Amino acid sequence: MALSFVACSDSDSTTKSVAGTVGDITLDRQTIGTYQPFTAQCAVASGSNLYDEKFYWEKGGTEDLSSLRDQYETKDGISSYYMQGMKAGKHTLVCKMAAVGNDGQQYTAEKTLTVEIVPTDIRNNFWGETQEETRRNLTYYTTMQQEADGGFTFEEKDAYGDLNYSTELQDGISVSPWRLVSLEYDEAGKLERVVYICIPSEVRADAIVSRLGLRKQLLERYEGFTSFACDCIVGDGVVLTDEEQAMVDQFKGGSLTTDSGTALDKAVAEQRVKLELTAENNVSRLRITVTGMGTGSDAQTQMVFSRK
């Protein structure tokens, strides 16, 4: 009986490469506010017979967050993207796989999700959020402390503008060098007040009223506050000069002078008069109180934001 032989080609002995897969993207928060941290995840599976394979994430749109501490990792079949926060609007997240097989073929796969970031009520917080929610929103705050009453405090630059509240402010239009921020809660543990204590680091007793005027302009422009009302509180037993009384009346009428070194500046610094300013926007009320720190000194500004 004759024997026959079949030759085996090189392709018969080559194991075909199999690409990895990328699952749908999910988020760990149902509602994501401006500059609130969140995590995006998707299930991934590695391929086989691959020379190189990687899973990675991309953000679409025009926003540049390269300076933030966003990071991603792939572990135990899950690729996670830890986001420090983004500004309000729609953003595109993409989880991608790229690989090169031992057969020389290139493989790609990706899943895309459009994330809508909604405006918050104040900073990167919502009125009525719990202390646990606030703690998460302050994940990247390095000076944050929780007080005995459950509230949170931290220090930052006293600044205004289109700001990134994912951590303590370092940039923006500065009014005074720094401020102490306190987040306060009601008996049910819901956020009800945010308080700023703004303290100048240099003596500018001649700029107390003009500085308040600048603060008013910035609050109007960047935080939508309107309906400003001005008031002066004269200390018990204090008798104002005619010039001081005229400036008090002018201030109460809504005129915040931009002049420096006025009689009203001096009266405030000497703790004879306090300045008050109230305003509101769509979701918050605001009361500003300017209190002198003594003759030859400057003034401290307290700003109390509360839920409407």
Side-chain angles (χ1 to χ4, degrees):
M1 181 176 65
L3 297 177
S4 62
F5 296 90
V6 178
C8 295
S9 66
D10 291 340
S11 61
D12 292 332
S13 61
T14 301
T15 303
K16 183 175 178 59
S17 298
V18 177
T21 59
V22 177
D24 291 335
I25 299 173
T26 60
L27 306 176
D28 67 343
R29 301 182 85 149
Q30 288 187 333
T31 300
I32 306 173
T34 307
Y35 294 117
Q36 291 184 341
F38 67 96
T39 301
Q41 290 186 322
C42 64
V44 297
S46 296
S48 59
N49 196 33
L50 299 174
Y51 171 74
D52 184 38
E53 180 185 52
K54 65 177 180 178
F55 296 94
Y56 61 102
W57 290 79
E58 291 182 352
K59 289 187 297 286
T62 59
E63 186 176 33
D64 179 14
L65 296 179
S66 59
S67 63
L68 302 184
R69 288 168 286 187
D70 298 339
Q71 56 183 321
Y72 57 83
E73 66 173 355
T74 300
K75 183 179 180 181
D76 298 329
I78 299 293
S79 188
S80 301
Y81 196 2
Y82 306 106
M83 305 292 296
Q84 190 172 15
M86 294 189 287
K87 64 183 180 182
K90 293 184 178 180
H91 305 265
T92 301
L93 300 181
V94 186
C95 183
K96 292 188 172 185
M97 181 279 300
V100 178
N102 288 335
D103 55 6
Q105 185 172 345
Q106 294 186 349
Y107 300 90
T108 61
E110 66 179 49
K111 284 295 176 70
T112 300
L113 180 68
T114 299
V115 181
E116 183 170 6
I117 308 297
V118 301
T120 49
D121 295 331
I122 182 169
R123 302 181 60 87
N124 68 339
N125 307 98
F126 291 111
W127 293 124
E129 70 183 27
T130 65
Q131 293 169 358
E132 181 179 353
E133 289 168 333
T134 298
R135 179 180 289 279
R136 182 174 184 194
N137 293 334
L138 303 183
T139 295
Y140 296 98
Y141 280 64
T142 59
T143 65
M144 184 270 291
Q145 296 184 19
Q146 187 164 21
E147 305 300 325
D149 61 1
F152 297 91
T153 60
F154 52 88
E155 295 180 4
E156 66 181 5
K157 184 177 181 180
D158 179 28
Y160 301 86
D162 295 321
L163 303 174
N164 181 342
Y165 284 103
S166 60
T167 188
E168 296 97 331
L169 295 182
Q170 301 295 329
D171 301 314
I173 303 172
S174 180
V175 179
S176 61
W178 67 277
R179 66 191 178 206
L180 176 67
V181 182
S182 300
L183 280 68
E184 301 177 355
Y185 298 79
D186 61 18
E187 293 181 355
K190 305 291 187 179
L191 180 64
E192 65 172 355
R193 277 188 303 274
V194 175
V195 180
Y196 294 168
I197 302 296
C198 311
I199 303 177
S201 62
E202 61 178 345
V203 176
R204 285 296 310 276
D206 61 342
I208 293 172
V209 180
S210 61
R211 188 190 300 130
L212 180 59
L214 173 60
R215 199 181 295 276
K216 173 181 177 291
Q217 293 174 8
L218 295 173
L219 288 165
E220 286 178 312
R221 179 177 179 182
Y222 293 106
E223 300 187 26
F225 279 95
T226 60
S227 304
F228 284 89
C230 302
D231 195 11
C232 287
I233 302 172
V234 180
D236 293 340
V238 172
V239 178
L240 300 178
T241 66
D242 291 344
E243 182 183 10
E244 290 170 341
Q245 186 62 58
M247 296 206 72
V248 164
D249 294 341
Q250 183 181 11
F251 182 85
K252 287 183 176 181
S255 176
L256 278 71
T257 178
T258 58
D259 296 334
S260 297
T262 67
L264 188 55
D265 285 323
K266 186 172 183 292
V268 173
E270 293 175 349
Q271 300 177 323
R272 299 166 62 234
V273 175
K274 290 183 182 180
L275 305 180
E276 283 197 350
L277 196 64
T278 59
E280 61 182 37
N281 61 17
N282 291 335
V283 294
S284 305
R285 294 186 177 90
L286 169 63
R287 178 178 294 275
I288 302 175
T289 304
V290 180
T291 305
M293 301 169 67
T295 302
S297 299
D298 208 314
Q300 173 180 289
T301 299
Q302 181 190 62
M303 305 175 64
V304 180
F305 300 85
S306 58
R307 183 178 189 173
K308 288 182 72 172

